[in-house]
């Protein structure tokens, strides 16, 4: 970690994959962009500046606390700290927070950004966003009230225990209406900072320069350390170019936390000095098989259990790169980076990940398929996923399940997977995919995978007991009790086995030896940019 409080110097960031709309919080839906945005945007609440599980805890940022929720779970109230300002010296008000949230309702302007606020707050008003708002102040969203300049009150359509985590996303950042010109298109070009840095220059897809925001008051901010004087981000032509810049000292960190090339990884692992400057980071995802309940014989849970027992997760892990790229053997759907993960839960075997063919054959007999069955497995085309699907095919063949593999380009695959009607016509009995959450709770991870009607509920799971447990968890006001509820839901989901967890992906992340305060922010799946300092 190399702890330090030394200020000064320039932090040099690099990446090969420019995200769309890097600087606009309403338009962005990529973790690296969120990590960068935390440098110049503040929210009512944000994640504690700490490694591991402690970094998943929310703390007050612009707000005086993490919010007061009503006994019915529908109303959330926050108060802003005094003395918080935008980069031009104007005070940050509750109206600015509300306006930033209203922007996310303009789905025609920001179709790729998160839609959590419209989903949770609208309550039938069908608010169109501020650009079509008839209110003179463009603050016509009725489910968000600002009784004064330092108070903001949210009214939800139904209880949602994770609401404060939604506010910790970039979409919760304040935006002054005066800076939001061009029908929402100009803020990306000239964002107004509320955090410790402001934009000095920005060339989309090429470079970004951040410098200190003189109006930021560290006395109001327990989240951001703001050690470097300047932060430069450069987009290079390829991932190989990024890795070369890291190793020869021209860059300090790859903000994408991308999986290293085989050549670079080998070089690092064979050098103790280089290996000392790596972290084995969780991506926050779970790689899994989705078993489609409308494709025979997966309407029968015992046939699904047969797959759980037959899959050789250790072989899959090796195919995905083993210890340094494959990750850890997954035993339940919730990954170790989510509250509610139960490290002791191994419902279908040990953490060694070996297959249990005899147990699988027993389940096949119980579901009336003692000789196995034929099934199609689909997945996106890549060398690793192709190897993984062949591993599944080989393991299932040992118990009589004959797998036909369909590999296709990523766009075609996800176009079908995310469209329930198209997916149904494909008759894919099994799908190889992965999922990561936008925030680190059991609900943040599992809810969309099991919610009836969700496009991400690929298997078509609709279990009345699970649905009731989800409603109970969402009504919790105590995060610890909600985590316990999601642990129970995870166990129930495993008993249904519409999803077969395979791996919790991890990979090496290299960072320059001159960096200080280095740790992996589990929510973002990469190094916490807000904590970094540089040795000069």
């Amino acid at each position: 970690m190399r702890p330090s409080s030394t200020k000064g110097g320039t932090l040099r960031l690099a990446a090969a994959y420019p995200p769309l709309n890097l600087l606009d919080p309403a338009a962005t839906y990529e973790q690296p962009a969120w990590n960068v945005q935390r440098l110049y945007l503040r929210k009512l609440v944000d994640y504690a500046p700490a490694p591991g599980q402690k970094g998943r805890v929310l703390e007050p940022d612009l707000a005086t606390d993490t919010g007061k929720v009503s006994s019915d779970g529908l109303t959330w109230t926050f108060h802003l700290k005094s003395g918080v300002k935008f980069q031009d010296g104007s005070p940050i008000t509750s109206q600015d927070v509300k306006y930033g949230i209203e922007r996310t309702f303009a789905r025609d302007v920001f179709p790729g950004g998160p839609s959590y606020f419209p989903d949770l707050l609208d309550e039938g008003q069908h608010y169109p966003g501020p650009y079509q708002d008839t209110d003179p102040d463009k603050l016509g969203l009725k489910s968000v009230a600002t009784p004064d300049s330092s108070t903001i009150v949210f009214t939800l359509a139904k209880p949602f225990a994770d609401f404060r985590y939604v506010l910790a996303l970039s979409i919760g950042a304040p935006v002054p209406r005066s800076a939001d010109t061009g029908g929402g298109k100009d803020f990306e070009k000239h964002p107004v900072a509320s955090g410790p840095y402001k934009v000095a220059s920005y060339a989309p897809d090429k470079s970004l320069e951040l410098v200190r925001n003189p109006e930021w008051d560290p006395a109001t901010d327990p989240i951001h350390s703001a050690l470097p004087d300047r932060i430069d981000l450069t987009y290079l032509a390829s991932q190989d170019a990024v890795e070369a810049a890291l190793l020869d000292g021209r860059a300090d960190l790859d903000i994408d936390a991308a999986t290293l090339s085989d050549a670079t990884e080998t070089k690092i692992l064979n050098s103790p000095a280089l290996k000392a400057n790596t972290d084995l980071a969780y991506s926050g995802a779970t790689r899994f098989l989705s078993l489609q309940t409308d494709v025979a014989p997966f309407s029968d849970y015992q046939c699904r259990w047969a797959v759980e027992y037959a899959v050789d997760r250790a072989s899959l892990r090796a195919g995905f790169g083993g210890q340094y790229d494959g990750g850890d053997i997954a035993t339940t759907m919730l990954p170790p980076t989510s509250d509610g993960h139960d490290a002791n839960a191994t419902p279908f075997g040990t953490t060694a990940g070996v297959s249990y063919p005899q147990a699988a054959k027993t389940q096949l007999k119980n579901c009336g398929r003692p000789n196995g069955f034929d099934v199609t497995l689909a997945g996106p085309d890549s060398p690793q996923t192709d190897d993984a699907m062949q591993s599944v095919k080989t393991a299932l063949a040992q118990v009589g399940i004959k797998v036909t593999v369909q590999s296709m380009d990523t766009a075609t695959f996800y176009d079908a997977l995310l469209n329930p009607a198209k997916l149904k016509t494909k008759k894919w009995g099994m799908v190889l995919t992965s999922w990561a959450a936008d925030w680190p709770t059991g609900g943040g991870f599992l809810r969309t995978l099991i919610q009836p009607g969700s496009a991400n509920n690929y298997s078509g799971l609709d279990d009345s007991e699970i649905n009731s447990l989800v409603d109970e968890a969402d009504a919790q006001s105590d995060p610890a009790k909600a985590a316990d509820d999601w642990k129970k839901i995870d166990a129930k989901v495993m008993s249904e086995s519409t999803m077969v967890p395979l791996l919790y992906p991890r990979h090496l992340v290299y960072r320059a030896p001159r960096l200080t305060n280095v740790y992996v922010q589990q929510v973002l799946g990469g190094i916490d940019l807000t904590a970094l300092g540089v040795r000069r």
Side-chain angles (χ1 to χ4, degrees):
M1 185 174 180
R2 296 192 288 264
S4 174
S5 58
T6 301
K7 292 187 175 182
T10 299
L11 172 63
R12 302 165 307 183
L13 306 174
Y17 309 106
L20 294 173
N21 305 300
L22 172 66
L23 300 183
D24 192 322
T28 308
Y29 210 148
E30 297 186 41
Q31 286 180 324
W34 290 344
N35 205 354
V36 170
Q37 288 172 3
R38 294 180 78 226
L39 295 167
Y40 62 91
L41 296 177
R42 297 177 68 180
K43 287 89 69 177
L44 293 173
V45 294
D46 207 340
Y47 293 98
Q53 186 173 344
K54 292 181 179 179
R56 305 202 305 252
V57 176
L58 289 177
E59 291 187 349
D61 186 1
L62 289 173
T64 57
D65 56 28
T66 57
K68 299 290 190 300
V69 58
S70 60
S71 58
D72 61 6
L74 295 178
T75 304
W76 294 73
T77 302
F78 295 83
H79 300 280
L80 271 64
K81 297 171 182 173
S82 61
V84 290
K85 300 176 182 178
F86 287 114
Q87 67 180 62
D88 62 359
S90 61
I92 298 172
T93 68
S94 57
Q95 289 82 10
D96 296 316
V97 177
K98 177 176 179 175
Y99 185 82
I101 288 169
E102 285 184 334
R103 296 177 80 237
T104 71
F105 283 74
R107 305 311 301 164
D108 56 331
V109 181
F110 308 113
S115 63
Y116 290 114
F117 290 128
D119 295 341
L120 296 168
L121 291 171
D122 197 35
E123 300 177 63
Q125 181 187 353
H126 304 299
Y127 181 69
Y131 314 113
Q132 300 180 46
D133 193 337
T134 58
D135 181 84
D137 297 320
K138 304 301 181 183
L139 295 171
L141 178 60
K142 296 176 182 177
S143 49
V144 180
T146 54
D148 56 58
S149 61
S150 63
T151 304
I152 187 164
V153 183
F154 303 91
T155 302
L156 277 60
K158 64 179 183 178
F160 192 77
D162 287 349
F163 185 64
R164 55 171 59 91
Y165 291 94
V166 178
L167 293 169
L169 295 171
S170 291
I171 52 175
V175 173
R177 178 187 166 194
S178 60
D180 191 30
T181 58
K185 299 297 185 181
D186 291 343
F187 193 77
E188 159 78 6
K189 304 171 187 174
H190 307 287
V192 178
S194 50
Y197 295 95
K198 64 179 181 178
V199 175
S201 66
Y202 175 48
D205 301 343
K206 294 181 179 179
S207 64
L208 170 68
E209 180 188 0
L210 299 173
V211 296
R212 292 192 181 279
N213 172 11
E215 297 297 335
W216 172 73
D217 183 358
T220 69
D221 191 341
I223 307 295
H224 308 85
S225 59
L227 297 180
D229 289 332
R230 194 176 83 182
I231 300 173
D232 289 339
L233 168 60
T234 303
Y235 285 100
L236 302 178
S238 67
Q239 186 59 32
D240 286 342
V242 171
E243 293 174 13
L246 289 172
L247 293 181
D248 67 22
R250 289 178 290 120
D252 297 320
L253 186 70
D254 175 7
I255 64 165
D256 290 330
T259 301
L260 297 171
S261 66
D262 290 344
T264 299
E265 182 175 296
T266 299
K267 183 176 182 178
I268 288 173
L269 293 178
N270 287 331
S271 167
L274 292 175
K275 187 178 178 182
N277 291 298
T278 62
D279 296 283
L280 190 56
Y282 284 108
S283 69
T286 297
R287 201 181 299 278
F288 67 100
L289 292 174
S290 173
L291 308 185
Q292 315 310 94
T293 57
D294 63 351
V295 177
F298 288 140
S299 58
D300 190 316
Y301 76 91
Q302 291 172 112
C303 282
R304 302 194 296 265
W305 279 14
V307 176
E308 292 272 13
Y309 282 118
V311 168
D312 187 338
R313 294 168 174 83
S315 173
L316 278 160
R317 181 176 185 254
F320 274 108
Q323 176 184 359
Y324 296 108
D325 289 323
D328 296 347
I329 300 298
T331 54
T332 70
M333 284 301 295
L334 284 180
T337 53
S338 289
D339 297 340
H341 169 75
D342 186 353
N344 298 316
T346 57
F348 294 98
T350 69
T351 54
V354 297
S355 62
Y356 296 93
Q358 193 55 52
K361 290 178 180 179
T362 298
Q363 296 305 322
L364 287 172
K365 183 177 179 181
N366 291 342
C367 73
R369 301 288 184 123
N371 298 318
F373 52 86
D374 295 345
V375 64
T376 297
L377 167 61
D381 183 23
S382 76
Q384 287 186 322
T385 53
D386 289 346
D387 287 348
M389 289 191 288
Q390 290 301 322
S391 174
V392 172
K393 178 178 180 177
T394 299
L396 268 58
Q398 301 303 310
V399 300
I401 301 175
K402 301 175 184 64
V403 177
T404 298
V405 171
Q406 286 190 11
S407 181
M408 64 207 71
D409 69 87
T410 300
T412 301
F413 173 72
Y414 282 105
D415 177 65
L417 185 63
L418 294 170
N419 185 313
K422 288 184 180 180
L423 182 59
K424 190 171 184 177
T425 64
K426 293 290 185 181
K427 296 296 182 181
W428 296 336
M430 300 191 296
V431 170
L432 177 62
T433 187
S434 65
W435 183 256
D438 290 342
W439 58 84
T441 68
F445 189 93
L446 265 183
R447 185 185 291 103
T448 190
L449 295 177
I450 61 177
Q451 182 177 344
S454 166
N456 301 115
N457 184 353
Y458 318 125
S459 64
L461 176 64
D462 188 355
D463 181 278
S464 58
E465 182 179 349
I466 290 175
N467 297 341
S468 295
L469 289 171
V470 170
D471 289 340
E472 291 175 16
D474 282 346
Q476 291 284 6
S477 57
D478 182 343
K481 291 181 179 178
D484 286 341
D485 285 348
W486 281 103
K487 185 182 296 185
K488 296 173 185 175
I489 294 168
D490 192 24
K492 178 62 177 172
V493 167
M494 289 307 303
S495 73
E496 291 295 326
S497 290
T498 57
M499 293 175 281
V500 180
L502 303 171
L503 298 170
Y504 304 129
R506 302 179 80 174
H507 64 275
L508 280 181
V509 176
Y510 179 81
R511 58 307 198 282
R514 75 188 197 114
L515 293 183
T516 61
N517 306 320
V518 183
Y519 61 83
V520 175
Q521 216 302 329
Q522 290 188 353
V523 181
L524 298 171
I527 304 298
D528 187 348
L529 300 182
T530 67
L532 292 176
V534 292
R535 291 172 174 168
R536 291 183 292 164

